[in-house]
Amino acid sequence: MKTTTNWLLSGLLLLLVSTVFGQGTITGTIVDAQLKSGIPGVNVMVNGSSTGTSTDIDGKFTIESKVAKGQLVFTYVGFEKATVNFTVESGKTVNVGTINLTEDASQLEEVIIVGRGIIDLASDRKTPIAVTTIKSAEIVEKVGSSDITQTMVNSPSIYVAGQSGGFGDSRILVRGFGQDNTAFLLNGQPINGMEDGLMYWSNWSGMSDIANGIQIQRGLGSSKLAISSVGGTVNFITKATDMRESGFVSTGVGNDSFLKTTAAYSTGMNKNGFGMSVMLTHWQGDGYNEGTAGKGQNYFISFGYKPSENHNLNFLITGAPQDHDQNFTKQIGDYKKYGRKYNNNWGLLNGSFVTERNNFYHKPVANLNWDWKINDNTDLSTVVYASWGRGGGTGNYGARSIRTAEGRIDFDAIYDRNVAVGDGVQGDNKSYLIRSSMNNHNWYGLVTNLEKQLTENLSWNAGFDLRTYYGTHFRQVSNFLGLNNWTESRTLRNADNAFVGSPVFNTVTESPSVSPYNATFNTIGEDQRIDYDNSERITYGGVFTQLEYSTDLFSAFFQGAVSNQAHQRFDRYDYLSEAEDSEKVSNVGYNVKAGGSLRVNEQNAFYVNTGYYSRQPYHDNIYLNYSNQLNPLTENEKILGLEAGYSFTSKFFTANVNAYRTSWKDRVVSSSRVTVADETYGDIVVLQGNEIFRTNEGVEQLHMGLELDFVAKLLSTLDLRGFVSSGNWEYQGEARTTLRDQDRNVLSVTDVDVDGGKVGDAAQFTAGLGFKYTIATRVSVDADWRFYDQLNSNVGAVKENLELPDYHITDLGFSYKMLVGKTKSNSVNFRINVNNLFDKLYLSELRTNIKADDNIPAVGTNPSVGTYQDNDRTFLGVADANQGFLGLGRTWNASIRYNF
């Protein structure tokens, strides 16, 4: 008995010693099994304890263990869980080596499993392209209170304009090509406007919350759809239904009373294969510039169902109802006079804020993805989608505005004038109201792709893209401002577009509220519409195919697509009832792409791609002057693209060099400006403050350039990244220029020589340098510096453009991640951003090209007052009569996010 007791006491003593004195240190490195690069932020836990840590920026970790033997558990969203056994002696350090984490196809935070064959990511094709990928973590960190476009600024040949307009009014240009010539896709679904190809980011204000990643494919890209991505293709990949239970709550604040709150929860997939994820957001803010307040909500609901190993379905619906006040370009001299944040679109009525310019919209988007693994070599992916856009934008209508000495709109004086008038009549030069230009649409489509691995080295893709779109456009009164009603007249047209009969009069009395929710569920009657009321139906059908051969060292592909696009216009306002329907127009377009790559060794690779597009014109270019009359100059645009590249990859340094040449013929270029005084064109007078639209037809552009981007790991705690892009973008030959007022009346038509003129609206030279430094575990600071040069005015095709002054911007960010919970599997993330840290004053864009050495137009009886420069009429070296935007000054935002 005594012997047994001694053995028990010895065993307990040994156990106590091994527990208390068996503490040791364990180190190791976690890498992506596919990319072979370190993964920062991986959770590392000693199994069965509360001891935990996370990896640094290189994927390295150090953890103390209180037990001599045990198991480490590694978890990271989007990757399969991994474990490794360890044995460590007291006071010693043991290295468990490199642990590979493999992507988990059942988790969707960083890995996409729905629509894999539809979403054209660069990694899906072996032949390289010029590409930048932005992951969800960076999106969440960088976007703050900005549009989603802000996350793309640290990429070569990318320029973001229009941010001073208000929430959601920014524009992105890729290699000098505007948004109507860059393809934007949401989970493989085309989202450019069917009528004009434009993007309105206010409709996508929730993108930063729901995006899993953004991939910018510059130039020809890898898209297999029958689309012509001239500038490039931007893929937005959203979240879907998470396979595990999780969620987060976040809140953020920023300059000018910005506030944003988001909550998300996923049930995880149950044993029957069902799951649901939900996210809701509310945001609001006053805007950086005066009179640019906005507010809105974002929602995202996703249902997932996996009936078997070979089938996966996901349905989601998302939308972002919002309204925001707008700031338009104005004379630079107005900023000198009234201040940097001046906005001339608003004023006071009985002491309350009223604006002429407000945008309100709601565009729910729904899609159903089905992935079917037919066999080991064959996959079929299909997405059926729909969107329903409702809303519009307000503006002045009727007599000109009255202004105060401070440059505001004097709504009190306008109201008094309207009360005196009583019943408003079009053209009386006394009646003034605020109108809403409504743009409603229903859009339905289907995209499907079959991918088959024919041999070990040969793969084949084929599919089709179907869309149908019906849009309706009209104006309605949003505020009578003291008028009892509004009466206007017009003479109707016959089928030959000739005016016939006596004028028709129409009196309206209704004024719906300016609200995205009211617009979603209510549409005003046709008898209460003013100025115009028309619709269009656009149908599109395309087929595409791709064949790619690849080995470890070589790849080559051929891709082709053909499509037919049909248009018809319906005008209920300006035409006799029997002539409302226009002639139907159908256009066939196609594109072909081919390319190849050679991998010399693990570090060095080369590629070359070429493509030719015959692209159908947009709907707005087919019918003349927004009438049913066909435009005889309309024809397919011809695009020839050539690009080549080189990439270098090592453990500590990666770099890519790309060269491109894009020739674009028979295209249409549009721009606009705001009149600063009354202008007369024949019998038409364009009042001060109204817009004049400029359209150039038959234009040829030639874009050439070089791009470099790199990432370097200088230290285990320091990452450095940078880019340089240099372009030469010019117009060629002649172009026909048409000027129209905002009521779509033709003001003038001229043929002009534009040969050698510089393409405007985007900086042709850009450079950037950024770093991220890990101060301590889960604590980091980052900064980005960008330089822009050779930025010309956005005036369409002209021979002599105006170059804006170069400028540079610095952004700064700070992040801290705190692990919480019993198992340290939850986290609280803190983030602070300061954009334009040094409050740089700069011109971000101009819409006129008045030179500083131009003579100032005659004033009164004085026939000549000299040049702008001679009269000290310049700002940052530019004539102050030019119209444009100043860039945003210093802004900031801070957020806290709890992940569980």
Side-chain angles (χ1 to χ4, degrees), residues 5 17 78 80 106 243 340 476 483 626 648 706 708 838:
T5 302
V17 170
E80 293 183 353
S106 69
M243 298 299 289
R340 182 175 184 173
Q476 63 191 28
L483 293 175
Y626 299 95
F648 175 82
L706 291 170
L708 165 69
F838 301 110

mmCIF file of all heavy atoms in Angstrom, residues 5 17 78 80 106 243 340 476 483 626 648 706 708 838:
data_model
loop_
_atom_site.group_PDB
_atom_site.id
_atom_site.type_symbol
_atom_site.label_atom_id
_atom_site.label_comp_id
_atom_site.label_asym_id
_atom_site.label_seq_id
_atom_site.Cartn_x
_atom_site.Cartn_y
_atom_site.Cartn_z
ATOM 1 N N THR A 5 1.160 4.173 -2.853
ATOM 2 C CA THR A 5 1.007 5.596 -2.530
ATOM 3 C C THR A 5 2.192 6.398 -3.014
ATOM 4 O O THR A 5 2.046 7.498 -3.566
ATOM 5 C CB THR A 5 0.849 5.768 -1.009
ATOM 6 O OG1 THR A 5 -0.281 5.009 -0.583
ATOM 7 C CG2 THR A 5 0.648 7.243 -0.660
ATOM 8 N N VAL A 17 5.190 19.043 -12.356
ATOM 9 C CA VAL A 17 6.416 19.626 -12.884
ATOM 10 C C VAL A 17 6.302 19.868 -14.393
ATOM 11 O O VAL A 17 6.664 20.913 -14.925
ATOM 12 C CB VAL A 17 7.626 18.742 -12.559
ATOM 13 C CG1 VAL A 17 8.861 19.233 -13.325
ATOM 14 C CG2 VAL A 17 7.893 18.751 -11.065
ATOM 15 N N GLY A 78 -12.144 31.235 -45.182
ATOM 16 C CA GLY A 78 -11.895 30.955 -46.583
ATOM 17 C C GLY A 78 -10.929 29.804 -46.803
ATOM 18 O O GLY A 78 -10.699 29.403 -47.942
ATOM 19 N N GLU A 80 -9.439 25.814 -45.216
ATOM 20 C CA GLU A 80 -9.732 24.671 -44.365
ATOM 21 C C GLU A 80 -8.890 24.724 -43.094
ATOM 22 O O GLU A 80 -7.739 25.171 -43.109
ATOM 23 C CB GLU A 80 -9.459 23.371 -45.115
ATOM 24 C CG GLU A 80 -10.400 23.134 -46.287
ATOM 25 C CD GLU A 80 -10.142 21.798 -46.970
ATOM 26 O OE1 GLU A 80 -9.145 21.138 -46.596
ATOM 27 O OE2 GLU A 80 -10.928 21.432 -47.848
ATOM 28 N N SER A 106 -16.132 25.427 -49.155
ATOM 29 C CA SER A 106 -17.411 25.548 -48.456
ATOM 30 C C SER A 106 -17.539 26.864 -47.712
ATOM 31 O O SER A 106 -18.533 27.101 -47.055
ATOM 32 C CB SER A 106 -17.565 24.394 -47.454
ATOM 33 O OG SER A 106 -16.640 24.535 -46.393
ATOM 34 N N MET A 243 -20.946 28.955 -45.194
ATOM 35 C CA MET A 243 -21.189 27.569 -44.793
ATOM 36 C C MET A 243 -21.126 27.393 -43.279
ATOM 37 O O MET A 243 -21.593 26.385 -42.756
ATOM 38 C CB MET A 243 -20.168 26.652 -45.458
ATOM 39 C CG MET A 243 -20.251 26.648 -46.987
ATOM 40 S SD MET A 243 -21.854 26.073 -47.603
ATOM 41 C CE MET A 243 -21.760 24.347 -47.198
ATOM 42 N N ARG A 340 -13.548 77.010 -51.046
ATOM 43 C CA ARG A 340 -13.205 75.709 -51.618
ATOM 44 C C ARG A 340 -14.386 74.752 -51.669
ATOM 45 O O ARG A 340 -14.476 73.907 -52.552
ATOM 46 C CB ARG A 340 -12.061 75.108 -50.797
ATOM 47 C CG ARG A 340 -11.547 73.774 -51.284
ATOM 48 C CD ARG A 340 -10.349 73.354 -50.457
ATOM 49 N NE ARG A 340 -9.755 72.116 -50.945
ATOM 50 C CZ ARG A 340 -8.619 71.592 -50.489
ATOM 51 N NH1 ARG A 340 -7.963 72.222 -49.517
ATOM 52 N NH2 ARG A 340 -8.152 70.465 -50.976
ATOM 53 N N GLN A 476 -41.274 64.933 -64.201
ATOM 54 C CA GLN A 476 -42.435 65.271 -63.396
ATOM 55 C C GLN A 476 -42.063 66.431 -62.474
ATOM 56 O O GLN A 476 -40.878 66.711 -62.255
ATOM 57 C CB GLN A 476 -42.883 64.061 -62.567
ATOM 58 C CG GLN A 476 -41.848 63.590 -61.556
ATOM 59 C CD GLN A 476 -42.192 62.253 -60.930
ATOM 60 O OE1 GLN A 476 -42.857 61.423 -61.528
ATOM 61 N NE2 GLN A 476 -41.728 62.041 -59.708
ATOM 62 N N LEU A 483 -46.347 77.823 -57.150
ATOM 63 C CA LEU A 483 -47.243 77.780 -58.311
ATOM 64 C C LEU A 483 -48.442 76.891 -58.014
ATOM 65 O O LEU A 483 -48.338 75.911 -57.261
ATOM 66 C CB LEU A 483 -46.510 77.239 -59.541
ATOM 67 C CG LEU A 483 -45.391 78.105 -60.131
ATOM 68 C CD1 LEU A 483 -44.708 77.355 -61.267
ATOM 69 C CD2 LEU A 483 -45.931 79.451 -60.619
ATOM 70 N N TYR A 626 -32.653 62.378 -79.377
ATOM 71 C CA TYR A 626 -33.670 61.790 -78.514
ATOM 72 C C TYR A 626 -35.044 61.793 -79.201
ATOM 73 O O TYR A 626 -36.070 61.988 -78.547
ATOM 74 C CB TYR A 626 -33.739 62.518 -77.171
ATOM 75 C CG TYR A 626 -32.440 62.448 -76.404
ATOM 76 C CD1 TYR A 626 -31.503 63.476 -76.492
ATOM 77 C CD2 TYR A 626 -32.132 61.350 -75.609
ATOM 78 C CE1 TYR A 626 -30.304 63.412 -75.807
ATOM 79 C CE2 TYR A 626 -30.942 61.272 -74.912
ATOM 80 C CZ TYR A 626 -30.028 62.306 -75.014
ATOM 81 O OH TYR A 626 -28.846 62.238 -74.338
ATOM 82 N N PHE A 648 7.884 38.986 -63.002
ATOM 83 C CA PHE A 648 8.965 38.398 -62.218
ATOM 84 C C PHE A 648 8.420 38.069 -60.829
ATOM 85 O O PHE A 648 7.780 38.917 -60.194
ATOM 86 C CB PHE A 648 10.139 39.365 -62.100
ATOM 87 C CG PHE A 648 11.241 38.870 -61.193
ATOM 88 C CD1 PHE A 648 12.197 37.979 -61.655
ATOM 89 C CD2 PHE A 648 11.296 39.278 -59.866
ATOM 90 C CE1 PHE A 648 13.197 37.516 -60.810
ATOM 91 C CE2 PHE A 648 12.294 38.825 -59.016
ATOM 92 C CZ PHE A 648 13.243 37.940 -59.488
ATOM 93 N N LEU A 706 2.671 52.188 -71.148
ATOM 94 C CA LEU A 706 3.436 51.213 -70.373
ATOM 95 C C LEU A 706 2.980 51.256 -68.926
ATOM 96 O O LEU A 706 2.654 52.327 -68.405
ATOM 97 C CB LEU A 706 4.938 51.521 -70.438
ATOM 98 C CG LEU A 706 5.647 51.312 -71.775
ATOM 99 C CD1 LEU A 706 7.055 51.902 -71.707
ATOM 100 C CD2 LEU A 706 5.715 49.827 -72.125
ATOM 101 N N LEU A 708 3.823 49.500 -64.869
ATOM 102 C CA LEU A 708 4.659 48.712 -63.963
ATOM 103 C C LEU A 708 4.002 48.693 -62.594
ATOM 104 O O LEU A 708 3.558 49.730 -62.095
ATOM 105 C CB LEU A 708 6.060 49.328 -63.840
ATOM 106 C CG LEU A 708 6.924 48.840 -62.665
ATOM 107 C CD1 LEU A 708 7.340 47.387 -62.875
ATOM 108 C CD2 LEU A 708 8.151 49.726 -62.474
ATOM 109 N N PHE A 838 -2.178 65.837 -46.319
ATOM 110 C CA PHE A 838 -1.584 67.172 -46.265
ATOM 111 C C PHE A 838 -2.512 68.243 -46.844
ATOM 112 O O PHE A 838 -2.081 69.357 -47.117
ATOM 113 C CB PHE A 838 -0.246 67.166 -46.996
ATOM 114 C CG PHE A 838 0.738 66.181 -46.410
ATOM 115 C CD1 PHE A 838 1.101 65.043 -47.110
ATOM 116 C CD2 PHE A 838 1.257 66.383 -45.150
ATOM 117 C CE1 PHE A 838 1.990 64.128 -46.566
ATOM 118 C CE2 PHE A 838 2.154 65.482 -44.590
ATOM 119 C CZ PHE A 838 2.513 64.342 -45.295
#
